[in-house]
Amino acid sequence: MHTILLIQVIGGKLIDFLKLKHDKLQLLVYEKNEAAISFYQNRGFKLVKKEIDQETGAADCLMEWDA
């Protein structure tokens, strides 16, 4: 199995586990990290807002999942 696929499988299982324990999950992803945004959207996360990270100057995307 390729390393990237393995990471996605493990990451997906971790998110599934967290969904069982929580009614709401939030996370920040750099806007330029399109692969991560797609990964989370495929698991039911929605883009809530975009903002600029004051420390890095990079655009962040706040993503959220609700049960």
Side-chain angles (χ1 to χ4, degrees):
M1 185 178 285
H2 293 279
T3 304
I4 293 186
L5 179 58
L6 182 60
I7 290 168
Q8 289 178 343
V9 169
I10 292 170
K13 291 195 179 292
L14 286 170
I15 290 171
D16 290 345
F17 175 77
L18 290 170
K19 286 178 175 180
L20 293 173
K21 302 291 182 184
H22 303 278
D23 292 330
K24 183 176 184 177
L25 300 173
Q26 291 183 321
L27 53 90
L28 286 172
V29 180
Y30 285 124
E31 182 180 38
K32 66 182 179 181
N33 191 347
E34 295 174 3
I37 292 171
S38 177
F39 174 84
Y40 292 116
Q41 286 176 329
N42 288 336
R43 283 152 184 82
F45 283 76
K46 304 284 187 238
L47 179 61
V48 176
K49 71 177 178 177
K50 294 181 184 181
E51 57 191 10
I52 301 298
D53 183 313
Q54 296 301 315
E55 292 182 27
T56 66
D60 282 338
C61 295
L62 175 64
M63 300 188 77
E64 186 174 278
W65 171 84
D66 286 308

